[in-house]
Amino acid sequence: MTLSTRRQAKRAARRAARRALPRWRRLLPTWRITLGALTAALLLTAGAFAVLYVIVPVPDPNAHAVAQNNIYLYADDTTEIARTGAVNRTDVTIDQIPPQTQHAVVSAEDRTFYRNRGIDLKGMLRAGWNTLTGKGTQGGSTITQQYVKNYYLTQDKTIERKGRELFIALKVDQQRDKPEILAGYLNSSYFGRGAYGIQSAAHAYYGVDVSALTLAQGAYLASLLQAPSSYDVKTATPANREKAIARWHYTLDGMVQLGFLTDAERTATTFPEPIDPQPATGLSGQAGYLVGVADDYLVSAGIIDTATLKAGGWRITTTFDKPKQDAFHKAVQDELTDELDPQRRPATDTDVRVAGASVEAATGRVVAVYGGPDYAKQPYNDALRQDNQIGSTFKPVDLAAGLIAQHTLDGRPITPDTRYDGTSERPVTGGPTPYAPPNEDDVDYGNITLRYAMVKSVNSVYAQEGVDAGLARVRDTAVKLGIPDSVRGMDPANTSMTLGTATPSALDLAGAYATLANHGQANAPWSVLKLARVHTGGAVDAPKMPDHTPVDAIDRPYADTVTDVLRDVIGPRGTGAAALDLGRPAAGKTGTTDSNLSAWFAGYTPELATTVGLFRENPKTHAKEPLAGTAGLARINGGTFPTRIWTAYMSAALDGTTTQQFDLQTGRDTPAPDFSPSSSSATTTPSPTATTPTTGGGSSEEPPSSTPVPDTPTHAPTHAPSAPAPQPTTTQEQPSPQAPQPTTTQEQSSPTPRPTQTRPTHPTTPPSTTGATTNPATSATPPAQRATPPAQ
């Protein structure tokens, strides 16, 4: 039998054996077919890879090397705010960069750098798997790939760009040595504060040449590469500061693992605080603050990444209205700055700062902000900071949550007319932590409605009402209205949350109040109308802007009921009485925090919501300082300078426009009933001995007025009973936490004092917080009966 015959016989035998197999088995390919297919696939892949490696060239450096300025415009699309974006970068050689800084970068960004061939397949597969399994989106790029992306390509997140990046990285790794690649990466990377490259970063964060960087400083700059803007500890939120320091520790630990650092050196290394940000040229006056708000919005909304924005060439039209912006600056100057005298009162009239924001109620457009007096002198944007408690401006959130909850702890309906015990330092019942907040000047208000308690900003009432509403519901309501869930001070495990320990920014708070003004429809504040970049060849980049469709935050009757109550705050006896000078329908709330560390006024008309915060801060330590004594006033309440600034700004901002009325649907067809202290017969006893109150953000505030006027709502006049003299307290019964019930013939119709042996007797009417004059806009001095102000 010939060789050919034997082969034919074997093939015939194999075919016969396969025909004898079950049908399902015959459908599966044989091992020969499978091996052949895999071999062919591998050969094709290798061939394609080789072809692509040859045909994909290493391109010229991208346009970043000749980046243009960014141009920021007011909403009119014509008036220029500022020009920024010229690349701040000075290239250095690898020899100028300390070895420890080089090693820190390798530890932070690519621990296989000195071993890989430009790409790290294992790292890429690991990153892909982590992304697919929900552990977060990860890139898996090596330092070489990042350098290629920065220097040769773009930041576009496309498969095509990623594929080119891979092949160019392989070529670059073959053509250049590791030190050269590392130098190129460090010279092209963005470190925040407008600094491109390690040399500019060294000056921006530590004021030194790159060659003078210490181990700790180099490790911090390396840590910044992951999130330059977020990890700047001088401007970061508290949460991002913690992440930045954790990243710094990760970098140092990696240096130990890679053998670049000993355990002893690691232990001896402490975190190196960078210097304060230095102002950029061309951003003086209000321009720098406006640019900061616009940039923050573009990046946080995911419209554009920081590196692409800072590369320049963008024309950015903002939502800011120049006349309103100028009016805000003038209001602060006229109502506050001109009243300060740092030479005469250096201990109290220095370092006074204002945070402000103004938002269109119906759209969420940011029309003006006040971040400071001059960005060239103070490069911190106070309008965006989230480290000042907002105090009693949080009480409308408590009320809204209570309306949603509908019932108190003892089952009574919660409405503006629900009565509560306004005794100062009355312990809150049902809260997770002990809490007995004092009212301002320790005034006892007796049996009063929620409406009256809002007008007088009575702490004891709203601390209890917030617990009745449910602290988790209060927090959820705050978030739905527009206060970020990441801010500190909104922990339902702390009863004091009810009085404003939360620390949203002025812009955050303006957005929340705009939701109330917009009948419960929320629009997150936004500050850019459009942006575009024209390339040399004529192509135009125009990122898609988000839709600004309002979302349902709370039902309209609840929002409108809160507005109805807040209108009374801006009344003759309300804490926001100074805002009456606006001469338009308006609603708002004052806020003053413990130790007088901050004072606020947040308010709105039907068309515009504006917030103004006042605080003092040590410029070196950044520690908060009390406002007491500012401008010669013993105490600064939200009803003084913040309300005056608000009123002056709103008057100018709305000048020439048609006066709009609130269109409220509260579900109540009749006018509001008398909301002053109950005139019903009630026998009460002194408040139970209170434990030392835990720290709370709110402060009960009296209107800055020295002339008594009737206790009536400004929009629904009613008769208020006159104030009786203090009554004996030896035969009185203990009131319930929510609403004392009338039991005898004693009449309780206005705030009354509680005679004790340890405190001076309070006056029979609420003590007015007058200053040097009787002008409501300037008075802030506590009554003489009180030697020192209470903890607020």
Side-chain angles (χ1 to χ4, degrees), residues 99 129 211 309 323 347 485 626 715:
W129 175 255
S211 61
L309 176 63
D485 61 2
H715 61 283

Side-chain angles (χ1 to χ4, degrees), residues 457-706:
S457 198
V458 182
N459 285 339
S460 56
V461 168
Y462 274 94
Q464 183 65 57
E465 188 272 344
V467 170
D468 286 352
L471 296 184
R473 181 178 284 109
V474 171
R475 185 185 192 283
D476 180 64
T477 302
V479 172
K480 287 181 177 179
L481 288 173
I483 295 179
D485 61 2
S486 59
V487 303
R488 296 188 173 185
M490 285 208 302
D491 185 358
N494 293 322
T495 309
S496 60
M497 181 189 77
T498 55
L499 298 187
T501 56
T503 60
S505 69
L507 185 55
D508 297 330
L509 188 59
Y513 271 64
T515 301
L516 294 173
N518 197 33
H519 313 293
Q521 296 286 298
N523 284 292
W526 54 285
S527 55
V528 175
L529 293 167
K530 62 182 179 180
L531 74 161
R533 178 173 62 180
V534 179
H535 293 279
T536 304
V540 177
D541 291 333
K544 185 180 184 303
M545 303 301 292
D547 294 327
H548 302 290
T549 304
V551 298
D552 293 331
I554 61 176
D555 291 344
R556 178 168 184 168
Y558 301 144
D560 286 359
T561 298
V562 173
T563 296
D564 181 52
V565 172
L566 294 185
R567 288 192 298 171
D568 293 327
V569 174
I570 303 178
R573 291 301 300 272
T575 58
L580 282 170
D581 289 344
L582 178 63
R584 289 172 177 257
K589 185 68 188 77
T590 54
T592 310
T593 61
D594 285 344
S595 303
N596 209 185
L597 292 182
S598 63
W600 291 83
F601 185 75
Y604 50 93
T605 62
E607 59 268 57
L608 202 60
T610 301
T611 57
V612 179
L614 187 67
F615 62 101
R616 291 183 66 228
E617 178 177 289
N618 186 297
K620 295 182 179 179
T621 66
H622 301 293
K624 298 297 188 301
E625 299 174 339
L627 287 166
T630 299
L633 303 182
R635 181 170 60 203
I636 303 298
N637 290 338
T640 56
F641 290 118
T643 306
R644 287 170 52 184
I645 294 170
W646 183 92
T647 306
Y649 162 72
M650 292 287 281
S651 296
L654 298 174
D655 184 40
T657 64
T658 302
T659 298
Q660 295 187 26
Q661 303 293 328
F662 284 110
D663 177 21
L664 302 183
Q665 298 177 13
T666 64
R668 184 184 67 206
D669 297 328
T670 58
D674 181 4
F675 70 134
S676 60
S678 173
S679 59
S680 62
S681 297
T683 307
T684 60
T685 62
S687 173
T689 302
T691 58
T692 301
T694 55
T695 300
S699 158
S700 176
E701 301 173 301
E702 285 297 313
S705 172
S706 60

